[in-house]
Amino acid sequence: MFSANSPTAISAPVRVFTAARTRVYVKGAGLVVDQPSAAAVNTRTGALIAVGEFAEKMTGRTPHYIRVVRPVSGGTVVDIEMAQRMLRHLLGDKIRRQLRRKPFLRAAACTPHDADPLAQRAAIETLVGLGARRVELVDTLIAAAVGCGLPVERPEATMIMVCGAAATQVAVLSLGSIVTAERIPVGGEAVDHAIVQHLRHEHELMLPSQSVRPLQVALSGNGLTPQGPASTEIHGRDVATGLARSVQVDTAAVRDAIETPLTAVLDGIGRVLRECPPDLVADLADRGIMMVGGSALLPGFDQMLRQATGMPVHIAERPDICAAQGLGAMLEGKIEPLTLDPLGA
């Protein structure tokens, strides 16, 4: 629930950590950083070679003494020192000079639902090490719901699904707080892995790490639906010979491979609805599910959810940056804090 101490009162940058990308929102300036959470390091000297997009492109293409690392994984900071170094370079000298002028710098960060105390502490220490005097942690589900315009403060149900790279988070919100929620350890990376394994086992084809995202290559048109193309051509490396090879892949088989990990997401939605009060479930019959996150754009995923749940399913206008937009709205004071004060006798 929003309180007087929430990011609505923060007058400093909001940094949003995600599994795949790092986004930074600064009050008055908007979204100033939107880069992959990747850093390339020289293991001989410890020097930072590249960060963000450039480091991402170096994956799988570097000599042995350069290593590409991801200091933020699964929505949590796994390497505090490297995360700080990466953020310093992503922010740039100009923004860092502006922030240094603020003597009481405050910051906020999104954390996954039910993040453990160690993960929360890692996010706080990362921002404190960059000069923040005070750090607020906001549940990703709340921030994303605010960012896509859901009326979370009303006494009626809204359902949101944050489709991340490493995990999917599903929640029912009412009165500005989470009623029921589930964090499912299946995201876009699991779907990509299922496609890669299918191509390896069925066609003895290995995809390079820096190829076009396998999911987008294998599924075009209507994606997961049977109305999509019957087959598609995939380029990769032969497992046995190591030579470049192209194969025609049956997209129906690819759809079957993808649906296996997505079944876990459907099970998670079912658990959330079973734990939700009946009155709120009745609200959702008309309102449906709002999908946000980069993996919400998985071709045909929304239609699959409609068929499985019988509920309306919507995709946010900018699903990839909804959490950052939500924190920004709180930061700019566009969302009024909700307080439920006790009535006097």
Side-chain angles (χ1 to χ4, degrees):
M1 183 174 298
F2 302 128
S3 66
N5 294 326
S6 74
T8 52
I10 294 175
S11 58
V14 173
R15 298 177 174 90
V16 183
F17 297 123
T18 63
R21 301 185 74 87
T22 293
R23 298 181 174 92
V24 180
Y25 186 103
V26 177
K27 184 177 181 180
L31 196 64
V32 296
V33 173
D34 185 359
Q35 294 279 339
S37 302
V41 183
N42 186 326
T43 57
R44 294 174 178 173
T45 63
L48 204 59
I49 304 297
V51 296
E53 296 280 2
F54 190 28
E56 179 91 346
K57 293 178 181 178
M58 293 172 66
T59 304
R61 300 175 180 271
T62 62
H64 66 89
Y65 61 89
I66 295 179
R67 185 165 57 100
V68 178
V69 298
R70 296 185 177 274
V72 185
S73 178
T76 59
V77 179
V78 296
D79 187 334
I80 295 175
E81 180 183 358
M82 187 56 65
Q84 291 174 346
R85 295 176 67 185
M86 180 185 72
L87 272 171
R88 288 192 188 99
H89 283 79
L90 289 176
L91 286 170
D93 293 336
K94 182 178 178 181
I95 297 176
R96 282 158 52 199
R97 282 196 299 268
Q98 293 175 354
L99 298 180
R100 278 198 292 267
R101 298 192 189 106
K102 299 179 182 292
F104 299 103
L105 185 64
R106 300 182 187 180
C110 279
T111 55
H113 180 67
D114 287 341
D116 60 74
L118 287 177
Q120 295 178 1
R121 187 65 185 172
I124 292 173
E125 288 186 7
T126 299
L127 297 180
V128 169
L130 291 173
R133 296 293 185 89
R134 180 176 176 179
V135 178
E136 299 279 354
L137 298 181
V138 180
D139 196 303
T140 302
L141 291 164
I142 295 288
V146 171
C148 63
L150 292 179
V152 295
E153 75 283 357
R154 296 180 186 174
E156 53 192 45
T158 55
M159 190 170 190
I160 188 164
M161 184 167 72
V162 180
C163 309
T168 300
Q169 304 174 68
V170 185
V172 175
L173 312 175
S174 181
L175 286 173
S177 62
I178 296 173
V179 179
T180 59
E182 185 85 16
R183 188 167 184 262
I184 307 137
V186 174
E189 292 175 354
V191 174
D192 287 351
H193 180 71
I195 295 176
V196 169
Q197 291 300 107
H198 170 77
L199 295 175
R200 185 183 182 96
H201 293 155
E202 298 297 326
H203 299 278
E204 296 185 348
L205 192 73
M206 183 180 299
L207 291 177
S209 60
Q210 284 298 301
S211 65
V212 179
R213 188 179 181 190
L215 178 62
Q216 297 175 348
V217 174
L219 296 178
S220 56
N222 294 314
L224 295 178
T225 64
Q227 289 74 35
S231 64
T232 187
E233 188 177 24
I234 299 291
H235 306 278
R237 187 181 71 182
D238 189 280
V239 173
T241 65
L243 300 176
R245 184 163 64 92
S246 300
V247 296
Q248 285 290 330
V249 178
D250 180 11
T251 53
V254 176
R255 285 196 295 271
D256 291 340
I258 288 176
E259 287 180 1
T260 300
L262 293 184
T263 300
V265 176
L266 296 177
D267 292 342
I269 294 174
R271 288 192 295 270
V272 169
L273 292 174
R274 285 193 295 272
E275 295 172 4
C276 189
D279 290 345
L280 294 182
V281 175
D283 292 343
L284 297 174
D286 296 327
R287 195 178 301 274
I289 305 171
M290 177 65 75
M291 298 175 65
V292 303
S295 297
L297 299 174
L298 176 66
F301 189 20
D302 55 335
Q303 185 170 335
M304 178 183 175
L305 290 178
R306 289 189 195 98
Q307 294 173 350
T309 63
M311 298 167 57
V313 178
H314 314 281
I315 301 177
E317 184 177 352
R318 288 293 307 277
D320 52 336
I321 62 171
C322 280
Q325 289 177 327
L327 277 182
M330 297 177 191
L331 183 71
E332 303 286 358
K334 297 178 182 178
I335 303 297
E336 292 295 328
L338 177 68
T339 55
L340 299 178
D341 296 323
L343 298 175

